[in-house]
């Protein structure tokens, strides 16, 4: 009975879920055990590194610091002419540090253990020297001696006895520093190796974890597949309904069962019904019927609410597109009307008539600014009402009424409550007051040219107002150009009347008027292009001004005759004049005749050939007697017919560079003359370790400098290579010996190395035969 009950439980969804989650928990336990095991091994390795190797590095650094403290303290005591009172305590600290490092001897490699012995010997030697220095200080400075001869010889004995001892202990300190660096490098190498081992162990742990996770994952998948296969049998009915829904078929309602699937079957039936309703609604929306009625199942119906939101957004998008298209089509329509009309009076009437129709208004008028002498009024140039033109002579003072106020304030006015006595829209059947009144100023570049007035039985919308405002800008530009044309025609007429009285100037005036008329006809077509050209010219002018103002090189512009057209600030400061003072002058006004003749000949050759001269070194003598060197480039510039009209000259002052080069050559020549009778050769080691500029004195017979030229110092002079790699190049003791084979015999040379003061990692060497 118990077995049958257990099997029945497993057939149910709850029993299957319990079995599935039991497998998952078992997999998690296995994963946790493996992860803890590998983490423990990594932790043990990291603890060994932290407890042994890192403290050893700290002990070596402390030992090195204590040795340095003893040396610096002794130097201070010698300067104070007093003994070092804490010498014993310092020595105890050093011995304690040495013992701490010695206790870790087994952690070092065999070469490092030998170095550790050298450190101990050096520290012992340092202690002996320090005791001797301290004793000398006590015997000579702290002892009162009545012997005047003793006092008189104290300074000499200090130089011969104390100073060498101090120098000796400093050299011992350098050896200690070098040995401790070896110990630190050895320990750090082991630390790096241990860290690599920890990283390898971590990588192994990661892969083992991945393997365990994969195995657990496979087990979960197998158990899940078995569970799903069993569960699918229980879900056959609701799955069949959902499968039809997925294929887009209208599912029939299925009878509910009494088992655990009954609730799911009822839910799928409801889902099928809801999807059918949503599908019908989506179909109507797809056909463009955005007003189709649809009610979501609840406030939490995600699909239904999303469809309703989609319908509302489509409504808004359609409405926005309708408004945007309405504005775009309107602007295109009126732009075409403006392009086809030249008389702005007739154009005004056409614009008002078409605008009333396009905005579905009932009345419209256009007022343009009219100036006569000092009088400025608004004149009604066009009106429209109920598709009948009414030519009315009407003028309005600026500031008078709504039209005059709209012009003065240069802003749009919208009235939705129009006074009864303001305007009446009438027809053959009667009359009525408009619902809204719109007044829009048309302006360009903050200059108002007039006002458009519209009245309608409907309230003007924002997009309609925006359209009329944008149209007003186009109308203002057109009227402004039309007025300019009228003024031009008026001036032309006046000029023609005056031409009878000025017969002597008839031909000149006729040509001027023809040019003015041609210019006016091209003004609109070239306006935008001219503006862009002006912007580019302004940018190029600004760039050119920055170049002329801040470029440190000297810049000169000359014409075909080598006469100065313009110079920059740097050249003006070089000659200590203002830039405009050199305009119209030539090189003959500032340089010697020989230099000016040479420059003039080169420039005329450049004018004739059109070939630029780049980076030509020149040696110039000014009339003041100053001599300088410069690197000059001369570049021709041409007109639109490709004719050379002048040249652009850039001059870089290289006087200091030439002086430095001459000074270096003089020094090299002096050095070679001084070393001429000494068996010596000199060389240079560049930053790549290559030998350069090798020179040998005459007494050094059999030595061929070319055999070392452009070769690696490590191959030719290994002793010099060791000095460069192991010694401080700022040390005054940078001297070493090496052996070179000359004529089949090994000759000993003493090398002296010096840092190059100009280039980093470049050295100058001298080798003297011993």
């Amino acid at each position: 009975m118990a077995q049958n009950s257990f099997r029945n439980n497993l057939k149910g969804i709850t029993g299957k879920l319990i079995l599935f989650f039991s497998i998952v928990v078992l997999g998690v336990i296995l994963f946790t055990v493996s992860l803890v095991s590998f983490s423990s091994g990594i932790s043990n390795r990291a603890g060994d590194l932290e407890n042994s190797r890192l403290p050893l590095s700290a002990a070596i650094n402390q030992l090195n610091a204590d040795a340095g403290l003893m040396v610096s303290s002794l130097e201070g005591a010698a300067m104070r002419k007093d003994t070092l009172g804490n010498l014993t305590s310092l020595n105890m600290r050093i011995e304690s540090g040495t013992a701490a490092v010695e206790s870790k001897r087994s952690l070092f490699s065999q070469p490092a253990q030998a170095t550790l012995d050298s450190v101990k010997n050096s520290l012992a030697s340092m202690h002996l020297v320090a005791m001797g220095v301290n004793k000398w200080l006590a015997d000579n400075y702290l002892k009162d001696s009545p012997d005047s001869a003793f006092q008189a010889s104290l300074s000499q004995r200090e130089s011969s006895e104390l100073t060498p001892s101090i120098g000796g202990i400093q050299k011992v300190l350098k050896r200690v520093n070098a040995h401790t660096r070896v110990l630190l490098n050895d320990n750090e190498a082991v630390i790096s190796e241990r860290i690599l081992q920890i990283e390898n162990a971590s990588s192994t742990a990661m892969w083992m974890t991945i393997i365990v996770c994969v195995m657990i994952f496979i087990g979960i998948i197998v158990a899940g597949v078995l569970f799903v296969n069993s569960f699918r049998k229980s879900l056959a009915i609701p799955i069949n309904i959902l499968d039809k829904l997925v294929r887009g078929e209208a599912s029939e309602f299925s009878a509910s069962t009494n088992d655990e699937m009954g609730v799911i079957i009822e839910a799928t039936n409801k889902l099928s019904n809801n999807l059918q309703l949503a599908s019908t609604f989506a179909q109507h929306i797809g056909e463009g019927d955005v007003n189709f009625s649809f009610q979501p199942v609840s406030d939490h119906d995600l699909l239904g609410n999303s469809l309703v939101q989609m319908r509302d957004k489509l409504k808004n998008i359609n409405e926005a597109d309708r408004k945007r298209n309405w504005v775009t089509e309107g602007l295109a329509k009126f732009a075409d009307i403006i392009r086809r009309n030249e008389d702005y009076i007739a154009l005004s009437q056409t614009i008002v008539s078409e605008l009333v129709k396009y905005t579905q208004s009932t009345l419209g008028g256009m007022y343009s600014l009219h100036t006569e002498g000092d009088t400025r009024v608004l004149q009604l140039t066009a009106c429209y009402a109920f598709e009948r033109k009414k030519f009315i002579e009407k003028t309005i003072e600026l500031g008078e009424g709504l039209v005059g106020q709209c012009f003065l304030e240069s802003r749009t006015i919208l009235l939705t409550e129009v006074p009864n006595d303001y305007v009446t829209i009438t027809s053959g059947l009667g009359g009525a007051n408009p619902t809204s009144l719109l007044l829009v100023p048309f302006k360009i570049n903050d200059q108002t040219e007039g006002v458009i007035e519209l009245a309608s039985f409907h309230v003007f919308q924002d997009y309609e107002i925006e359209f009329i405002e944008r149209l007003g800008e186009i109308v203002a530009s057109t009227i402004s150009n039309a007025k300019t044309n009228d003024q031009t025609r008026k001036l032309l007429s006046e000029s023609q009347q005056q031409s009878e009285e000025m017969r002597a100037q008839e031909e000149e005036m006729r040509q001027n008027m023809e040019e003015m008329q041609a210019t006016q006809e091209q003004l609109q077509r070239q306006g935008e292009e001219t503006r862009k050209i002006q912007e580019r010219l302004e940018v190029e002018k600004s760039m050119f001004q920055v170049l002329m103002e801040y470029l440190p090189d000297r810049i000169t512009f000359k014409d075909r005759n080598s006469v100065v057209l313009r110079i920059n600030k740097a050249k003006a400061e070089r000659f200590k004049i203002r830039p405009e003072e050199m305009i119209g002058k030539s090189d003959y006004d500032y340089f010697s005749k020989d230099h000016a003749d040479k420059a003039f000949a080169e420039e005329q050759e450049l004018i004739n050939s059109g070939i630029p001269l780049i980076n030509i070194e020149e040696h110039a003598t000014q009339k003041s007697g100053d001599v300088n060197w410069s690197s000059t480039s001369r570049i021709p510039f041409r007109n639109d017919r490709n004719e050379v009209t002048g040249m652009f000259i850039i001059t870089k002052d290289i006087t200091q560079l030439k002086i430095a080069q001459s000074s270096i050559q003089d020094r090299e020549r002096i050095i070679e003359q001084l070393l001429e009778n000494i068996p010596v050769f000199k060389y240079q080691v560049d930053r790549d370790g290559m030998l350069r500029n090798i020179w040998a004195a005459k007494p050094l017979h059999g030595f061929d400098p070319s055999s070392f030229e452009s070769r690696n110092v490590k191959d030719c002079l290994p002793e010099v290579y060791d000095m460069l790699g192991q010694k401080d190049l700022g040390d005054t003791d940078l001297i070493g010996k090496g052996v070179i084979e000359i004529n089949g015999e090994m000759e000993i040379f003493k090398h002296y190395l010096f840092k190059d003061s100009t280039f980093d990692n470049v050295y100058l060497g001298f080798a003297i035969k011993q």
Side-chain angles (χ1 to χ4, degrees), residues 684-692 708 710-713:
Q684 184 186 53
V685 183
D686 65 13
R687 57 171 56 92
D688 297 324
M690 306 300 290
L691 293 172
R692 309 286 185 189
F708 283 7
S710 300
R711 293 183 59 190
N712 196 293
V713 66

Side-chain angles (χ1 to χ4, degrees), residues 323 326-327 331 355 358-359 361 406 411-416 436-442 452 454 456 458-473:
K323 293 177 180 179
W326 185 86
V327 172
L331 292 176
L355 183 60
Y358 195 73
T359 59
S361 302
C406 176
R411 66 179 181 86
T412 300
I413 297 176
L414 175 64
L415 294 180
T416 56
S436 62
L437 181 68
L438 178 65
L439 296 98
V440 178
F442 47 92
I452 296 176
L454 296 174
S456 177
H458 71 273
V459 178
F460 290 98
Q461 302 298 316
D462 291 340
Y463 72 94
E464 294 177 319
I465 297 174
E466 179 185 0
F467 162 70
I468 298 172
E469 289 175 343
R470 293 174 62 181
L471 178 61
E473 295 178 359

Side-chain angles (χ1 to χ4, degrees), residues 168-443:
I169 200 171
Q170 289 176 342
K171 292 182 178 179
V172 173
L173 178 61
K174 290 183 180 179
R175 290 199 299 271
V176 171
N177 292 337
H179 294 327
T180 53
R181 279 197 297 270
V182 173
L183 296 179
L184 285 173
N185 292 337
D186 183 81
N187 191 47
E188 288 174 358
V190 176
I191 290 175
S192 300
E193 182 181 357
R194 295 294 174 83
I195 291 174
L196 180 61
Q197 293 175 356
I198 292 175
E199 292 176 349
N200 293 334
S202 299
S203 177
T204 302
M206 180 187 69
W207 283 109
M208 291 299 296
T209 302
I210 292 174
I211 293 172
V212 172
C213 290
V214 169
M215 294 176 64
I216 295 173
F217 181 70
I218 292 173
I220 292 174
I221 290 177
V222 172
V225 169
L226 295 177
F227 171 75
V228 169
N229 289 334
S230 176
F231 189 61
R232 288 182 63 183
K233 295 179 181 179
S234 301
L235 292 176
I237 296 176
I239 286 176
N240 184 40
I241 298 174
L242 293 174
D243 186 55
K244 291 181 179 182
L245 293 177
V246 169
R247 294 196 303 269
E249 300 177 4
S251 174
E252 298 180 355
F253 290 99
S254 300
S256 178
T257 60
N258 296 324
D259 58 6
E260 295 170 315
M261 295 295 103
V263 177
I264 298 177
I265 294 173
E266 292 179 2
T268 53
N269 289 331
K270 291 180 180 180
L271 175 61
S272 175
N273 183 56
N274 293 338
L275 289 177
Q276 290 179 10
L277 295 176
S279 176
T280 302
F281 176 64
Q283 184 177 1
H284 281 273
I285 294 296
E287 294 173 354
D289 185 8
V290 295
N291 296 318
F292 184 78
S293 177
F294 175 76
Q295 185 66 32
V297 177
S298 66
D299 294 339
H300 304 288
D301 183 3
L302 181 61
L303 177 60
N305 289 315
S306 298
L307 290 173
V308 172
Q309 291 178 4
M310 180 185 69
R311 179 191 63 188
D312 296 339
K313 288 182 179 180
L314 286 175
K315 284 183 178 180
N316 296 333
I317 292 173
N318 291 340
E319 180 65 17
D321 288 341
R322 184 188 68 79
K323 293 177 180 179
R324 183 165 51 253
N325 293 334
W326 185 86
V327 172
T328 304
E329 292 174 0
L331 292 176
K333 175 181 179 180
F334 284 95
D336 183 65
I337 292 174
I338 291 172
R339 185 172 55 254
R340 289 186 285 104
N341 289 270
E342 294 184 356
D343 183 2
Y344 86 93
I345 299 297
L347 175 63
S348 300
Q349 186 62 47
T350 303
I351 289 175
V352 171
S353 176
E354 294 297 330
L355 183 60
V356 169
K357 295 177 183 178
Y358 195 73
T359 59
Q360 296 182 357
S361 302
T362 51
L363 183 147
M366 179 183 294
Y367 298 85
S368 300
L369 179 64
H370 179 71
T371 303
E372 187 171 349
D374 296 334
T375 304
R376 301 173 70 216
V377 296
L378 292 174
Q379 186 174 15
L380 181 65
T381 57
C383 65
Y384 184 89
F386 284 102
E387 298 188 2
R388 290 184 301 166
K389 297 181 180 179
K390 297 181 179 180
F391 297 95
I392 304 172
E393 294 291 339
K394 186 176 182 181
T395 60
I396 298 177
E397 299 291 335
L398 301 186
E400 178 186 354
L402 289 176
V403 175
Q405 195 65 29
C406 176
F407 181 86
L408 283 183
E409 296 181 358
S410 189
R411 66 179 181 86
T412 300
I413 297 176
L414 175 64
L415 294 180
T416 56
E417 297 180 1
V418 183
N420 294 330
D421 57 349
Y422 183 81
V423 65
T424 301
I425 300 174
T426 61
S427 68
L429 299 177
N433 288 331
T435 302
S436 62
L437 181 68
L438 178 65
L439 296 98
V440 178
F442 47 92
K443 54 186 178 179

Side-chain angles (χ1 to χ4, degrees), residues 524-741:
Q524 292 183 350
R525 296 193 301 270
Q526 296 179 350
E528 182 64 20
E529 181 179 355
T530 301
R531 183 184 64 80
K532 293 181 179 179
I533 292 174
Q534 289 176 346
E535 290 179 354
R536 289 197 298 269
L537 288 176
E538 288 297 328
V539 173
E540 292 177 358
K541 179 180 178 182
S542 177
M543 295 169 60
F544 177 76
Q545 190 63 33
V546 170
L547 180 70
M548 298 295 288
E549 183 73 16
Y550 298 104
L551 188 68
D553 296 338
R554 301 194 295 275
I555 299 177
T556 306
F557 289 89
K558 292 184 179 181
D559 61 12
R560 291 178 57 88
N561 298 320
S562 296
V563 176
V564 175
L565 300 175
R566 186 171 181 179
I567 64 172
N568 70 338
K569 182 179 179 181
K571 183 159 186 175
E573 291 177 351
R574 174 66 180 83
F575 287 91
K576 299 179 180 179
I577 59 174
R578 296 192 305 274
E580 58 270 16
E581 293 180 5
M582 189 174 280
I583 296 175
K585 297 183 179 181
S586 66
D587 290 345
Y588 291 98
D589 297 310
Y590 296 96
F591 296 97
S592 64
K593 186 177 183 303
D594 293 340
H595 175 76
D597 288 340
K598 179 177 179 296
F600 181 79
E602 292 177 351
E603 291 169 358
Q604 291 305 306
E605 181 182 354
L606 179 141
I607 292 294
N608 296 327
S609 66
I611 301 174
L613 303 175
I614 306 299
N615 294 332
I616 305 300
E617 287 193 1
E618 296 181 340
H619 178 229
T621 303
Q622 301 181 17
K623 288 191 173 182
S624 61
D626 294 340
V627 177
N628 57 38
W629 286 85
S630 60
S631 175
T632 303
S633 296
R634 292 181 172 86
I635 304 171
F637 54 83
R638 306 171 184 269
N639 58 17
D640 55 358
R641 297 186 297 276
N642 201 30
E643 298 173 348
V644 178
T645 59
M647 69 203 75
F648 172 69
I649 304 173
I650 301 178
T651 303
K652 297 182 179 180
D653 192 342
I654 60 172
T655 303
Q656 296 301 323
L657 177 62
K658 298 296 289 187
I659 292 174
Q661 290 177 349
S662 299
S663 177
I664 292 174
Q665 292 174 358
D666 292 341
R667 292 179 182 178
E668 291 285 338
R669 186 170 60 255
I670 292 172
I671 291 174
E672 291 175 359
Q673 289 177 357
L674 292 175
L675 301 178
E676 186 67 28
N677 297 318
I678 302 175
V680 63
F681 71 91
K682 65 182 183 72
Y683 54 90
Q684 184 186 53
V685 183
D686 65 13
R687 57 171 56 92
D688 297 324
M690 306 300 290
L691 293 172
R692 309 286 185 189
N693 302 326
I694 303 175
W695 173 88
K698 293 180 179 179
L700 201 60
H701 302 293
F703 177 73
D704 183 11
S706 62
S707 62
F708 283 7
E709 184 69 33
S710 300
R711 293 183 59 190
N712 196 293
V713 66
K714 183 177 181 181
D715 300 330
C716 301
L717 303 173
E719 296 82 3
V720 174
Y721 175 79
D722 293 339
M723 284 197 299
L724 293 176
Q726 300 179 9
K727 284 188 174 288
D728 182 3
L729 297 182
D731 195 339
T732 57
D733 293 337
L734 189 57
I735 301 172
K737 290 186 178 181
V739 178
I740 301 176
E741 183 178 354

